[in-house]
Amino acid sequence: MNAIENFYIESKIIVITGGAGLLGRKHAEAVIEGKGIPVLIDISESAINNAKDKMADIYGRNSRIEGYTADITKRTEIEQIADDLLKKYGHIDVLINNAANNPKVEGSAVNMKAIQFENFPLQMWMDDMAVGLTGAFICAQVFGKIMAEQRSGVILNISSDLGIIAPDQRIYQKEGLADDEQTVKPVTYSVIKHGLIGLTKYLATYYAEKGVRANTLCPAGVFNGQNEEFLSKLTNLIPMGRMADAEEYKSTILYLISDAGSYMTGSTVVVDGGRTCW
Ligand SMILES: NC(=O)c1ccc[n+]([C@@H]2O[C@H](COP(=O)([O-])OP(=O)(O)OC[C@H]3O[C@@H](n4cnc5c(N)ncnc54)[C@H](O)[C@@H]3O)[C@@H](O)[C@H]2O)c1
């Protein structure tokens, strides 16, 4: 097999949680471009339909794309999807744990004082953990077991540059607001993103002899129309001086989920324009 062919994932079944979101859709595009079959799991049915339509526009109506509306915090819903996929295809090859509750604090017009650490509501802590960590745990349990039985598979956890470094709260602050009125990046984001790196290392070693690899990808902020003030503060912290384009993770995704990365497990791959070097 030559080096480029190793990137192909022909007919492989690639489950992507939060698959209808901004990056989830890009992971799915990478899968289609690698000749695999993306399986989008998302809590939002309309977002799934929208994502499938957009991909059909790009890759043609005959492209194979599966979509399931489900809540990853509900084990029975995930087991149902796994059963369904196994009946249909007989194998499940990759899980990308990508879903998250993503409060968009950057550039938000809403006063998010309530998410300051001192006021952070316990219920919000539990809801964020349920999706970001418990959901990833449930999916890894359900799909990991199948991969271990197959003696082959890949689990890819999507963390963040904020899984490596703490958020620089200064970039979320707005001029003219008192300290206790300022917006912050929520504590749950840091804890979940650091936690996913731990989950990866656990799974990588636990499953190493069963042919299942596990790695973490840490993307950094993706440009998505954020306001100028926020952009300038953030890009000052990034040696390359810009946010990522959502397209820029696709090749790394293909590397991590294909045989191109066959000797990589337990690793944390940081793709952040250099931000975590500073
Ligand atoms: N966008 C960025 O700048 C960026 C940077 C670094 C890391 N990340 C990480 O990448 C991942 C994707 O980010 P994004 O920007 O595409 O986010 P997004 O909010 O666009 O997508 C997240 C998706 O998860 C889905 N979801 C939420 N709860 C769910 C549940 N209980 N069950 C099933 N689906 C659920 C949402 O409906 C949404 O479609 C996240 O883990 C995020 O933390 C994003």
Side-chain angles (χ1 to χ4, degrees):
M1 187 71 80
N2 80 28
I4 295 296
E5 283 170 4
N6 278 335
F7 283 82
Y8 285 117
I9 43 173
E10 189 114 41
S11 303
K12 293 211 168 156
I13 304 301
I14 319 290
V15 173
I16 307 167
T17 70
L22 174 70
L23 281 183
R25 285 197 310 265
K26 294 294 159 187
H27 306 333
E29 288 180 21
V31 168
I32 296 173
E33 288 167 23
K35 305 186 190 304
I37 303 169
V39 178
L40 316 184
I41 300 182
D42 206 287
I43 202 162
S44 163
E45 186 174 10
S46 60
I48 289 190
N49 291 337
N50 192 280
K52 284 175 76 176
D53 274 354
K54 282 204 175 123
M55 278 184 267
D57 285 347
I58 303 171
Y59 300 102
R61 296 276 141 195
N62 293 332
S63 323
R64 287 182 297 174
I65 306 164
E66 298 282 350
Y68 291 91
T69 309
D71 179 348
I72 58 162
T73 69
K74 307 241 161 64
R75 185 178 231 287
T76 49
E77 294 186 16
I78 299 306
E79 284 172 341
Q80 185 60 52
I81 295 171
D83 285 351
D84 203 52
L85 288 171
L86 282 179
K87 272 194 204 106
K88 202 160 168 188
Y89 296 101
H91 54 100
I92 297 171
D93 305 289
V94 174
L95 163 67
I96 305 181
N97 272 323
N98 167 81
N101 267 353
N102 276 332
K104 294 282 184 278
V105 292
E106 45 273 20
S108 166
V110 188
N111 178 351
M112 297 181 88
K113 170 180 175 181
I115 64 170
Q116 288 196 354
F117 180 71
E118 294 80 357
N119 308 323
F120 199 83
L122 183 57
Q123 191 57 50
M124 198 180 284
W125 168 276
M126 293 195 295
D127 291 347
D128 287 353
M129 293 296 156
V131 180
L133 279 180
T134 313
F137 156 76
I138 290 172
C139 290
Q141 252 190 347
V142 172
F143 296 112
K145 182 166 186 269
I146 293 163
M147 293 179 200
E149 280 163 11
Q150 291 169 176
R151 316 273 319 168
S152 114
V154 177
I155 297 171
L156 176 59
N157 291 321
I158 305 297
S159 173
S160 166
D161 51 354
L162 300 183
I164 308 278
I165 55 172
D168 184 338
Q169 301 292 3
R170 292 170 301 181
I171 70 174
Y172 306 103
Q173 286 176 359
K174 295 206 178 84
E175 254 180 63
L177 288 180
D179 278 0
D180 67 350
E181 300 274 308
Q182 290 291 351
T183 282
V184 297
K185 191 77 174 176
V187 60
T188 41
Y189 198 79
S190 281
V191 174
I192 289 165
K193 295 308 179 185
H194 279 75
L196 284 170
I197 294 175
L199 177 65
T200 295
K201 290 179 184 174
Y202 185 94
L203 293 171
T205 50
Y206 186 82
Y207 279 138
E209 289 177 359
K210 301 238 162 99
V212 180
R213 298 187 292 111
N215 289 296
T216 306
L217 172 63
C218 294
V222 174
F223 179 70
N224 190 24
Q226 290 89 344
N227 69 43
E228 277 304 322
E229 187 192 345
F230 174 75
L231 272 181
S232 116
K233 286 192 207 159
L234 174 58
T235 52
N236 266 331
L237 300 175
I238 302 172
M240 284 180 71
R242 64 174 177 85
M243 295 186 80
D245 183 302
E247 296 286 325
E248 287 182 297
Y249 294 108
K250 287 162 71 171
S251 303
T252 313
I253 290 283
L254 268 184
Y255 169 73
L256 286 166
I257 64 174
S258 68
D259 286 346
S262 58
Y263 193 53
M264 182 179 268
T265 200
S267 290
T268 306
V269 176
V270 183
V271 182
D272 67 350
R275 175 163 182 198
T276 53
C277 298
W278 264 350

